[in-house]
């Protein structure tokens, strides 16, 4: 099949580097003689036929920009067969022979559905959470970690002056990659991870257990003469499961330890800002690779990175994989992290 036009969409939560990926896709495609249509607001734009033609000049000056120039959304209609069919029909109507979908696992599931409906799709991993199993790296992870690290460094300045404890909540709905690496990089006294759930334990029970572990760790440090502490907590442990806000956790820790404690939720600041070099290069390499596959009419693939090499694999196979936090890093943190 001759591929004359491809589409690009960004879907789910945005991540820094999505623009760099869009740029690489457009430039590689156009230089291969393929036309490109940008699709606004994820799968919703595909259903609504909300497209824009993209040429080389349309993607200049965006490599350094956070967010996504195409907008993004979590599309409920696309979860239904009627929505998938409408999206596939629109691809045919507007001559879109293949599609690059930049997003997380949910977006890949949609790309698999659309591939089955006859539109070859290639998924690119874009999420700050780094929780996509078929790739060692996801676009946005490095920038988000650096944003969080720099924020915690700043919080630490004032915490040190006031001899306080800072409890900082970072993103991580299902996975603690950001919390773990940022916790190590900021010398956190404790890192609370979503993965730290004992069998049969409810989120509330986990919260209470972790809170006690934090208090014990702080008291231990206090006995050794430490006067300031930082604790990194993934949102799954606190606000996401509506167990407590990080501010409430700080109050409770203060009652348990007598240490003046403040809670800060970093929130969406972690998803913004100019992508780091790591993210710009990863996005560019993956975007380039997506076009290399798609121009051959090959779909139902997801692009990933392993041992520094960009590769692709079957979407369903990728979705069935599992990813765990690196044991060596967990071990390092337990021994020298704090
Ligand atoms: O991008 C992934 C993620 O950042 C999660 O860690 C977080 O829970 C979620 O997105 C929040 O996204 P939103 O506020 O856009 O729904």
């Amino acid at each position: 099949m001759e591929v004359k036009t491809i589409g690009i969409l960004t879907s789910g939560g945005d991540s820094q580097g999505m623009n760099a990926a869009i740029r690489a896709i457009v430039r590689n495609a156009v230089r291969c003689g393929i036309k490109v249509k940008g699709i606004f607001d994820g799968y919703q734009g595909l259903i609504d036929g909300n497209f824009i033609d993209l040429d080389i000049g349309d993607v200049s000056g965006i490599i350094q920009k956070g967010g996504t120039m195409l907008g993004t959304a979590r599309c409920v209609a696309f979860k239904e067969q009627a929505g998938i069919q409408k999206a596939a029909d629109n691809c045919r109507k507007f001559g879109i022979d293949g599609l690059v979908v930049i997003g997380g696992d949910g977006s890949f599931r949609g790309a698999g559905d659309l591939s089955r409906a006859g539109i070859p799709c290639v998924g690119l991993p874009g999420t700050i959470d780094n929780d996509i199993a078929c790739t060692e790296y996801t676009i946005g992870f490095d920038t988000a970690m650096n944003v969080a690290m720099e924020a915690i460094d700043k919080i630490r300045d004032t915490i040190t002056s006031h001899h306080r404890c800072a409890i900082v909540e970072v993103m991580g709905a299902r996975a603690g990659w950001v919390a773990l690496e940022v916790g190590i990089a900021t010398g956190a006294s404790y890192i609370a991870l979503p993965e730290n759930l004992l069998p049969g334990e409810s989120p509330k029970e986990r919260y209470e257990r972790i809170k006690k572990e934090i208090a014990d760790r702080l008291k231990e440090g206090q006995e050794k003469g430490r006067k300031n502490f930082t604790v990194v907590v993934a949102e799954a442990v606190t606000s996401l499961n509506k167990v407590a806000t990080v501010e409430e956790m700080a109050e409770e820790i203060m009652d348990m330890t007598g240490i003046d404690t403040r809670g800060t939720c970093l929130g969406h600041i972690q998803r913004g800002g100019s992508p780091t070099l790591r993210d710009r290069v990863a996005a560019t390499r993956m975007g380039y690779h997506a076009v290399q596959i798609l121009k051959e009419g090959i779909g139902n693939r997801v692009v990933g990175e392993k041992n520094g090499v960009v590769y692709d694999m079957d979407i369903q196979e990728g979705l069935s994989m599992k990813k765990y936090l690196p044991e060596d890093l967990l071990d390092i943190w337990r021994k020298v992290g704090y």
Side-chain angles (χ1 to χ4, degrees), residues 12-14 74 127-129 171-174 235 240 268 271:
D14 63 354
R74 295 186 172 95
T127 165
I128 67 157
D129 290 345
M171 278 189 168
R174 292 173 298 157
E235 61 181 340
L240 197 84
H268 290 85
R271 287 223 309 243

Side-chain angles (χ1 to χ4, degrees), residues 46-242:
L46 205 51
I47 291 172
D48 298 340
N50 193 4
F51 306 149
I52 184 176
D53 290 328
L54 292 176
D55 209 334
I56 302 266
D58 300 315
V59 290
S60 72
I62 64 164
I63 196 166
Q64 79 284 14
K65 291 198 172 145
T68 158
M69 67 172 280
L70 293 174
T72 185
R74 295 186 172 95
C75 178
V76 180
F78 195 73
K79 293 200 169 112
E80 308 290 325
Q81 194 49 42
I84 297 166
Q85 197 50 53
K86 176 80 176 132
D89 290 347
N90 269 347
C91 285
R92 292 190 186 94
K93 183 170 158 196
F94 292 94
I96 296 175
D97 307 309
L99 192 68
V100 185
V101 173
I102 313 170
D105 274 350
S107 312
F108 290 174
R109 251 171 239 119
D113 290 339
L114 207 50
S115 294
R116 268 192 296 278
I119 309 300
C121 293
V122 175
L124 288 200
T127 165
I128 67 157
D129 290 345
N130 199 30
D131 61 349
I132 300 179
C134 58
T135 180
E136 285 176 357
Y137 190 78
T138 62
I139 298 163
F141 178 45
D142 187 60
T143 311
M145 286 193 298
N146 278 290
V147 168
M149 183 188 74
E150 283 165 22
I152 295 173
D153 285 349
K154 291 184 175 92
I155 292 171
R156 196 171 176 171
D157 288 345
T158 167
I159 283 297
T160 307
S161 310
H162 289 263
H163 316 301
R164 283 176 174 156
C165 169
I167 315 245
V168 185
E169 183 187 285
V170 297
M171 278 189 168
R174 292 173 298 157
W177 289 86
V178 172
L180 179 60
E181 296 214 14
V182 168
I184 288 175
T186 55
S189 296
Y190 189 96
I191 306 172
L193 303 165
E195 290 82 354
N196 184 354
L197 189 63
L198 300 177
E201 197 177 38
S202 71
K204 177 74 183 155
E205 287 162 346
R206 169 175 62 180
Y207 171 75
E208 293 300 335
R209 175 175 58 81
I210 286 179
K211 207 173 66 186
K212 176 151 187 330
E213 286 172 14
I214 294 171
D216 288 348
R217 179 72 53 79
L218 299 187
K219 281 192 258 177
E220 194 187 306
Q222 215 179 16
E223 276 157 25
K224 289 183 185 146
R226 278 200 69 164
K227 290 196 166 54
N228 54 78
F229 307 88
T230 51
V231 170
V232 174
V233 181
E235 61 181 340
V237 176
T238 43
S239 64
L240 197 84
N241 278 307
K242 303 203 179 346

Side-chain angles (χ1 to χ4, degrees), residues 301-317:
R301 307 293 289 176
V302 59
V303 175
E305 195 188 285
K306 197 172 181 192
N307 298 327
V309 177
V310 172
Y311 76 116
D312 57 273
M313 72 187 306
D314 179 84
I315 290 186
Q316 281 71 35
E317 198 185 330

Side-chain angles (χ1 to χ4, degrees), residues 232-304:
V232 174
V233 181
E235 61 181 340
V237 176
T238 43
S239 64
L240 197 84
N241 278 307
K242 303 203 179 346
V243 183
T245 64
V246 69
E247 290 86 358
E248 285 163 350
M249 185 187 232
E251 290 272 331
E252 290 163 25
I253 296 281
M254 181 146 66
D255 289 345
M256 291 165 85
T257 61
I259 301 168
D260 194 9
T261 304
R262 296 290 187 275
T264 306
C265 174
L266 295 186
H268 290 85
I269 192 170
Q270 295 159 96
R271 287 223 309 243
S274 182
T276 58
L277 178 143
R278 174 76 169 103
D279 279 321
R280 294 182 203 192
V281 174
T284 302
R285 291 178 77 198
M286 290 186 192
Y288 173 86
H289 189 91
V291 175
Q292 296 302 102
I293 317 170
L294 215 45
K295 73 178 182 187
E296 305 302 331
I298 299 168
N300 202 42
R301 307 293 289 176
V302 59
V303 175

